[in-house]
Amino acid sequence: MAPGTFLRGFVALVAILLSASSVAAAETPKRGGVLRVGNLGEPPALDAHWTTASITETLTNHVYEGLYSLDASNRPTPMLAESHTVSKDGLTYTFKLRQGIKFHNGKEMTSEDVVPSLARWGKQSIYGKALFAQVADWRAVDTYTVEMKLKEKSAIVLISLAVPNNFGAIYPKEIAEKFPPEVKATEWVGTGPFKLAEWKPDQYIRMVRFDEYRSRNEQPNGYGGGKTAWLDEIRWIPVPEVATRVAQVETGELEFADDLNLDAYERLKKNPNARTIISKPYYWLVAVFNKKEGLMTNAKLRQAWQAAIDIEPIMKNVAGGHAEFYRMDSSLAPVEIAAWHTKLAGLPWNEHNREKARRLMKEAGYKSEPIRFMTTQEYKWMYDFALLTKQQLEDVGFTIDLQVVDWATLVKRRNNPKEYDAFTTGIGAAYDPTHHVYLTASWPGWTTDEDIGRLQAELARETDPKKRMALWEMQTRQFYEKVPVIRYGDLFGLRAMRTSMKGFNEKTERIRFYNVWLDK
Amino acid sequence: MTAYLIRRILALVPVLAVVVSVAFLLIHLIPGDPVSVMLGPDATPAQIQAARHALGLDRPLPEQLLKFYARVLRGDLGRSYFLDRPVTQALLERAEPTLVLTLSALLVAIVIGVPSGIVAAAQPGSLWDRTLMLAALLGVCVPGFWLSLNFIYLFAVRLGWLPAAGYASIFVDPVAALRYMVLPAVSLGFSQSALIARISRSCMLEALQQDYIRTARAKGLSHATVTWVHAFRNALVPVVTVIGITMAILIGGAVVTEIVFNIPGLGRLIISAVLRRDYPVVQGVILATATAYVLINLGVDMLYVFIDPRIRYE
């Protein structure tokens, strides 16, 4: 051994040990701290059963839990349920509940709470109603066992109990029974890792760690698995002005901000203290047709619209020219919902075939009557894609009457078949083929087509995954033939966090701050 | 004077009645529905109908208006659909930030506006005059939104001297309150100072050309005494009027500043209430700001008596 070699080896060894320990230190979560999150505005309610508003979904999932949750591949995984069994005929589901789970008020969660909570959810939530339409009996067997008897075989029991939006949160019996389903609950007690401490509208919502929270033993997995509240407090601060949200992440006044404008992307990327996150799937852009009254009841005209549009330039423009923020895909379920993502060839999606469009318009007997297309500037991406669509459609001979209104007006008017022919919105992740609202007769636009309805009903009954996928592929082909709505590309969102924030799961569609900690 | 005051206060009633009715009709006549906003994008028509019924929104409009009058007469402005609290409580919570912002912006506007107007008037046509009036013109022209965002970028993001946005109560943490208030007060006060500067200048110019000024100068009084005691006091009435109007505008109209700097005041409240169609809150904020507006005007009229002893109210 040459002199010095040992020394060099020793130094290298020490260096390795040091760096390894510093990595380990950086990876060891720390307890404590206040996480400040800038969000768009006020939630309309903190009653998870009551509204589908996404801000309510995000907030309530920190306070409440359901029997099931979604794992990283968006499949059901148990949360408050310990396990379940299905009878041989597939008509009885028996759920074992976890024991020793405490509500924030100190009471233990039992079947006494689960039964009225999900009964209430089954009357108000869109997912709950769909499930309970199939339920014949729903009762407690003993303190830790509940039983659901079905009228017919169902494929949607677990997934309905697992969806995070408008979800089957378990409330204490007293609250579930006190507030009728159509009245929003104004007392908030759950079993989640954080409990609500204070709500000052337009100023903040404070959630503090629930010290008696009993985590599952599994590793964190998607929205499910183990949850640890490292933070003392999450403070949700409504910051309606997007430029202000960006600035406050830059200055460190906020640790996290969501729904940022894509034009802030480059600036945030250059900031050494900030980290940008591209949130997927966010939305696929959609033009929804009024199929109850007016011009667009004519399927040929809807097909003409589908044939005419050239989607890529529209998406590129809406994404501010950033290729990272959009994706061209014809599948009705986004890639992130791996179980239902389809890869079908030969669909009439993104054809930009003007000849075909003109021929279909002629066959539809269309004579340049104005088509009322409703959009809003409150969401810039909706307005941008409506405007570009109008240009493209007018190039082939459509007359588009673009009606720009505020969002509150749009969501009101879209329920009235006399007021529009098409409107813009976004379609978020749907975790099951039966959760695609635009394929239902009750959602604005009214897809009452019998063939579509029949396949939806079959999908709700069929429990064999392979057969369900075949049905879903059939439904996708049918979608492109009947064109109840127009599927544009996937648009992604921009969020940003301070680099001092650790342990954040960047993969989930909606933000969750359990398992997150601050390195300060 | 007392009789005049009583008459003026009684005259408030019809003004507010008209304001209340117009506010009610305007907000109900624009399309949109609070329930659709609250229940979220995927609510079914049946759910919407049930919730509309629970809020009494399915009743005929005249019936709703009458009920609204009856409540207002009892001092009850109703309950916010969205915020789960009485409107009066929501207004009181938002009053402090708006008042603090209004008063600090007004202070900035006066401190910048009045001296610039006087200095400009003292030497009309001079370089000072032209520079100050150009600045005032810019103050009027530059959109408050743009100015605020640039202030945030410069002083908070680049220099890190002040926080970008937020609010702290002066009663809880005066130092933090001051740090939060500097940027909004300066950006709002700067735009408002422009009008005050221009009015001060023209009133001073007019006053300085009066005969009594020449007399005062002839008596050998100092330049400062002539300017401040003789000319300024006489120029003050229109200046006070403009300051009063500015204050009234700020109370109801600091909307953009409140949103950009995320100050939880009345301006932000009314914008979010309009977007959510939270009818009781919209009506409540309009009623409150209209009352403040009328009372400020009354206060300004009363101030005239002290500024100009020639003014008497019978």
Side-chain angles (χ1 to χ4, degrees), chain A residues 394-498:
Chain A
E394 296 198 328
D395 283 348
V396 298
F398 275 97
T399 307
I400 301 294
D401 170 15
L402 198 65
Q403 301 195 340
V404 185
V405 294
D406 72 340
W407 179 244
T409 304
L410 193 152
V411 292
K412 166 98 191 264
R413 279 196 187 164
R414 68 186 199 178
N415 287 311
N416 183 351
K418 300 214 177 310
E419 297 215 57
Y420 68 94
D421 296 304
F423 68 88
T424 60
T425 186
I427 300 290
Y431 301 99
D432 188 79
T434 58
H435 290 167
H436 290 250
V437 284
Y438 55 89
L439 296 176
T440 65
S442 60
W443 199 66
W446 309 280
T447 302
T448 47
D449 185 275
E450 284 176 11
D451 298 333
I452 292 180
R454 201 172 302 128
L455 269 183
Q456 280 280 297
E458 268 187 68
L459 276 161
R461 275 193 304 268
E462 181 54 62
T463 51
D464 176 3
K466 277 212 175 104
K467 286 187 192 155
R468 285 197 95 205
M469 190 59 186
L471 286 170
W472 180 233
E473 288 183 345
M474 209 190 290
Q475 180 114 71
T476 305
R477 290 196 187 280
Q478 187 188 50
F479 169 91
Y480 281 103
E481 182 198 314
K482 307 233 176 201
V483 203
V485 307
I486 301 276
R487 193 232 199 275
Y488 289 73
D490 297 341
L491 178 70
F492 303 141
L494 175 64
R495 36 182 73 139
M497 65 181 202
R498 297 288 289 182

Side-chain angles (χ1 to χ4, degrees), chain A residues 51 124 244 253 406 409 414, chain B residues 33 38 41 47 164-165 260 277:
Chain A
T51 172
Q124 174 71 9
T244 308
E253 288 160 60
D406 72 340
T409 304
R414 68 186 199 178
Chain B
D33 175 18
M38 284 193 287
Q47 269 172 299
V260 172
R277 302 290 190 270

Side-chain angles (χ1 to χ4, degrees), chain A residues 19 238-239 322 343 349 380 413 416 467:
Chain A
S19 67
V239 186
H322 299 288
K343 296 184 191 72
W349 175 78
K380 188 174 176 293
R413 279 196 187 164
N416 183 351
K467 286 187 192 155

